[in-house]
Amino acid sequence: MKHMKQIQSHLMVSGTLTDVSVTGLVIAFCAISNNGDLDYAQHIFNYLPNRSAFIWNTMIRAYSERNKPIKAMSMYKQMLGFGVFSPNNYTFSFVIKACTELTDGLCGCQVHSQIVRLGWESYDFVQNGLIHMYVNCDSIDYARKLFDSSLYRDVISWTAMVNGYVKTGELEIARGLFDEMPVRNSVSWSAIITGYVQKGLFKEALELFNEMQLEGFKPNYAGIVGALTACGSLGALDQGRWIHAYVDRNGLELNRILGTALVDMYAKCGCIETAQQVFNDMPDRDVFAFTSMISGLSNHDKSGKAIELFLKMRDEGVQPNEVTFICVLSACSRMGLVEEGLDFFRSMNRVYGVEPGVEHYGCMVDLLGRAGRLEDAKKMVSEMPMIPDSYVLGALLNACRMHGEVELGKETVENLANLSLDHGGVHVLLSNIYASVNQWEDVAKVRKEMENKNVKKVPGGSSIELDGVVCEFVAGDRSHRLMEDIVSILLLINNQLRSLHFDDELVFE
C-alpha cells in the first residue's frame, strides 16, 4: 500500500487520476488485492468526480468477497440511485452473493426481478448464483423452477440443486438428480454423501465415498468429514484409519472441522488414546473439538479426565455450549459425583449464559437416580420449567429399576402413557422393576398388556467391521450365512461366563 499511495500521489500531480480507467486500476488494487486496504479504496471512491461501471462493480465485489454483504447491498443501491450506469451481469453476480450471505429471500427476489427486467437472467453464472441463493434461503421450489427452465445447466447448477434437496431432507429427490447429472465433481459427490450421513444411512454413505474414489475423484474436506462421521457411527475403524492416512498423505490441514471429525471417529471406534493424540495435535481447538473429546473420554469410562478437560477448556477461554454440558453432566453421573454435577448444572445459566434444556434435566435426573436420591430426582422432574420428555422420565424409570422403587416406577409409566410415550422399552423396564422384587404376577400382567396393546419392543442392533466390511446384526435375525458358527461361539462364551459365576450377565440364551 505504501507504493500504491506514492503512485496515487504521482497520478494526482500529473492529473491522470481523473482518467476513470486509471482510477479503476488503483481502486481495484486497494479493494481486492490481498495487500490492499478496502477502507482506503472507499476513501478514494468517495472523492471521485467520475465513476465507471467497472469501479462500481469493483467496490460491490470487494464488500461481497470480504463477507460484508450489507455494505455490498448499500453500494448496489447507491449505484442504482446514481442513475448513470445500469447493473450488468458482473454486478449481479456479486449482488446475488451478498443476498445469499444475508439469506434474505425477499431481497433476492427483488434483485431477481431487476435481473429479468434488464435481460441478464440467461447468463450462466448469474443463473447459478440465483439457484444457489434460493437454495440458501430455503426456497427450494423457486430454485427448482429456475433450474428446470434453464437452457444451460452445468455441474454448479446441478450440485446446487442436489445440495438444496439434501438441506430440506428430501434425499430421494437429491439422489435422483445426482444420478441424472451428466458431469460430477468432488463437491457434488460430497453433497450426496452428506445427505446420506444426515439421514443416518451410514453404510450407504461409505459406499458412495468408495464409489467416488473409484471414479477418480479426490474427496474434499466435506466428503472426508462425512465419511469419517459414517465410520464413527458404524465402528468402521479400518476405513477411518485409511481416511486419516489419506489426510496425512495429501498434506490436508488439520483444521477444526476435520480434526473434530477424526477425534469423534476414533472415540466412537474405541481408540480413545488415538483420539486424544489427534486432539493434542490440533493447532486450533474450538468448543466442538473440546466437546467431542470430553464426550469420548466420558464414554470410555474416563469421566475424571473428561471433567479435567472441561476445566482446561474453561481456563483456555473456550465457551462451552449446550452439548458440552450434556457430556460433563453425563460424566458426573457415571462417577456418582452428585455435588459436582449440581454445581455444573447451576453454573450453566449463572456463569456461562447457557439455559438448561430438557436434555440437561434428564442428565440430572439420571445422576440423582443412580446415586439413590430418588426423591430429589422426582422433585427435579416436577419442578422442570418444561414438560419432561421420554429421556427424563426414562432416566427416572431406570433409577426405579435399579433401586426397586415399584410405586414410583408405576407412576412414571403412567406419566409416559399420558404423553403417548409408553413404547415397548418402557413396558420392558416396568417388567424388570417387578422382576427385581419378585412380583412375577405383575410381570405377567405387563407382558399381557403389551400383547393386548400390540406393543412390541424395537429389536436391538449392532455392527462390527471385519476385513474392511461392516456387518450388521439385528436381534432375532438369523439370516447371516455364518449364523451356526456365531451361535456356537456365543454358547461357548456363555459356558465360560457360567463357570465364572456371571449367571446374571449371560450373553446368549
Side-chain angles (χ1 to χ4, degrees):
M1 277 301 298
K2 180 180 178 181
H3 296 299
M4 177 51 67
K5 289 179 180 179
Q6 292 175 346
I7 293 171
Q8 182 199 348
S9 299
H10 175 73
L11 293 173
M12 290 178 64
V13 172
S14 64
T16 314
L17 200 61
T18 56
D19 186 338
V20 291
S21 59
V22 175
T23 310
L25 295 175
V26 173
I27 286 182
F29 176 86
C30 296
I32 299 171
S33 169
N34 291 332
N35 298 319
D37 185 337
L38 182 53
D39 291 336
Y40 191 74
Q42 181 69 62
H43 177 74
I44 298 174
F45 177 87
N46 291 339
Y47 289 96
L48 281 180
N50 300 310
R51 298 163 184 166
S52 64
F54 173 79
I55 291 175
W56 281 104
N57 286 346
T58 299
M59 292 302 297
I60 295 170
R61 173 189 173 185
Y63 283 118
S64 179
E65 292 181 346
R66 300 283 182 89
N67 296 318
K68 297 182 178 181
I70 295 176
K71 290 285 291 183
M73 294 304 299
S74 175
M75 190 64 65
Y76 169 66
K77 291 176 182 177
Q78 287 181 46
M79 180 183 186
L80 294 177
F82 201 67
V84 177
F85 301 102
S86 294
N88 57 27
N89 53 338
Y90 296 105
T91 314
F92 285 120
S93 65
F94 307 133
V95 171
I96 292 168
K97 185 177 185 296
C99 291
T100 303
E101 291 178 3
L102 289 170
T103 62
D104 190 339
L106 178 60
C107 180
C109 285
Q110 293 172 344
V111 171
H112 189 182
S113 298
Q114 292 172 333
I115 289 170
V116 173
R117 182 169 56 84
L118 295 174
W120 296 111
E121 190 182 31
S122 61
Y123 281 76
D124 55 347
F125 54 88
V126 172
Q127 200 161 79
N128 288 342
L130 283 170
I131 292 172
H132 182 64
M133 183 268 294
Y134 281 126
V135 165
N136 203 59
C137 294
D138 297 326
S139 301
I140 190 67
D141 292 337
Y142 287 113
R144 184 59 187 265
K145 185 177 180 181
L146 189 60
F147 176 80
D148 288 340
S149 64
S150 175
L151 299 176
Y152 178 80
R153 302 174 189 167
D154 59 10
V155 67
I156 298 174
S157 50
W158 281 93
T159 302
M161 288 307 307
V162 170
N163 188 53
Y165 283 114
V166 165
K167 281 185 63 179
T168 58
E170 299 175 86
L171 187 57
E172 288 185 9
I173 301 177
R175 182 58 191 267
L177 281 172
F178 178 79
D179 291 338
E180 290 179 32
M181 288 182 69
V183 179
R184 299 169 184 161
N185 60 15
S186 297
V187 180
S188 51
W189 278 100
S190 297
I192 196 66
I193 290 169
T194 300
Y196 275 89
V197 170
Q198 290 175 353
K199 279 288 186 179
L201 302 171
F202 304 115
K203 189 175 180 180
E204 292 83 352
L206 283 184
E207 289 171 355
L208 278 168
F209 183 75
N210 294 330
E211 186 181 341
M212 173 182 66
Q213 293 169 83
L214 290 173
E215 292 197 13
F217 293 96
K218 289 188 174 182
N220 59 11
Y221 274 95
I224 289 172
V225 169
L228 286 171
T229 303
C231 289
S233 299
L234 292 171
L237 179 58
D238 287 346
Q239 187 147 10
R241 281 174 171 161
W242 184 92
I243 296 171
H244 191 183
Y246 176 89
V247 169
D248 291 340
R249 189 166 60 248
N250 288 273
L252 298 178
E253 179 191 357
L254 193 66
N255 60 21
R256 293 177 175 181
I257 298 174
L258 179 56
T260 301
L262 282 168
V263 168
D264 187 62
M265 183 275 295
Y266 278 121
K268 287 180 177 176
C269 289
C271 299
I272 192 63
E273 291 80 11
T274 309
Q276 183 77 68
Q277 183 179 344
V278 173
F279 178 81
N280 293 338
D281 290 341
M282 289 178 66
D284 187 19
R285 300 177 300 212
D286 60 4
V287 61
F288 302 105
F290 271 99
T291 300
S292 184
M293 194 67 237
I294 291 169
S295 175
L297 290 168
S298 177
N299 291 332
H300 281 79
D301 202 25
K302 296 179 183 293
S303 297
K305 289 188 176 181
I307 295 171
E308 287 177 12
L309 186 58
F310 175 80
L311 299 176
K312 180 180 179 182
M313 171 187 177
R314 181 190 63 187
D315 294 340
E316 290 187 11
V318 179
Q319 185 78 0
N321 60 20
E322 295 88 347
V323 181
T324 315
F325 278 105
I326 292 174
C327 299
V328 172
L329 293 175
S330 296
C332 291
S333 180
R334 288 187 172 95
M335 291 186 71
L337 301 176
V338 177
E339 295 306 320
E340 290 83 349
L342 287 169
D343 288 341
F344 284 130
F345 182 75
R346 294 177 187 127
S347 71
M348 285 181 63
N349 195 358
R350 186 176 69 245
V351 179
Y352 301 100
V354 178
E355 191 69 32
V358 66
E359 300 90 348
H360 305 101
Y361 281 96
C363 290
M364 291 307 300
V365 170
D366 184 59
L367 170 61
L368 293 167
R370 284 173 183 261
R373 293 171 55 170
L374 291 179
E375 285 302 318
D376 290 333
K378 182 181 177 181
K379 182 180 178 183
M380 178 158 283
V381 172
S382 64
E383 294 179 354
M384 284 174 58
M386 69 283 290
I387 297 174
D389 65 358
S390 60
Y391 178 77
V392 175
L393 293 174
L396 184 59
L397 186 58
N398 189 55
C400 294
R401 180 192 63 81
M402 291 174 63
H403 300 284
E405 289 287 341
V406 177
E407 291 304 316
L408 182 55
K410 288 173 61 178
E411 181 184 333
T412 304
V413 170
E414 289 174 3
N415 289 332
L416 285 163
N418 293 334
L419 295 171
S420 299
L421 297 171
D422 55 335
H423 50 74
V426 171
H427 289 280
V428 171
L429 267 177
L430 180 59
S431 173
N432 291 340
I433 292 173
Y434 286 132
S436 67
V437 292
N438 298 319
Q439 295 184 10
W440 302 109
E441 290 184 5
D442 292 316
V443 171
K445 287 180 182 178
V446 172
R447 296 289 179 175
K448 185 64 177 177
E449 185 180 356
M450 289 178 66
E451 184 180 332
N452 293 337
K453 290 184 176 180
N454 198 26
V455 175
K456 295 181 179 179
K457 184 179 183 296
V458 178
S462 62
S463 63
I464 186 172
E465 184 186 33
L466 185 63
D467 296 329
V469 178
V470 177
C471 303
E472 295 179 296
F473 297 91
V474 177
D477 180 11
R478 294 173 175 266
S479 61
H480 196 280
R481 61 186 180 84
L482 298 176
M483 184 52 65
E484 289 186 8
D485 295 334
I486 294 170
V487 170
S488 298
I489 294 296
L490 288 173
L491 287 173
L492 179 62
I493 294 173
N494 259 6
N495 292 333
Q496 290 178 337
L497 288 173
R498 287 179 191 277
S499 68
L500 296 171
H501 307 291
F502 290 137
D503 292 356
D504 293 334
E505 299 182 24
L506 299 182
V507 176
F508 183 77
E509 284 287 2

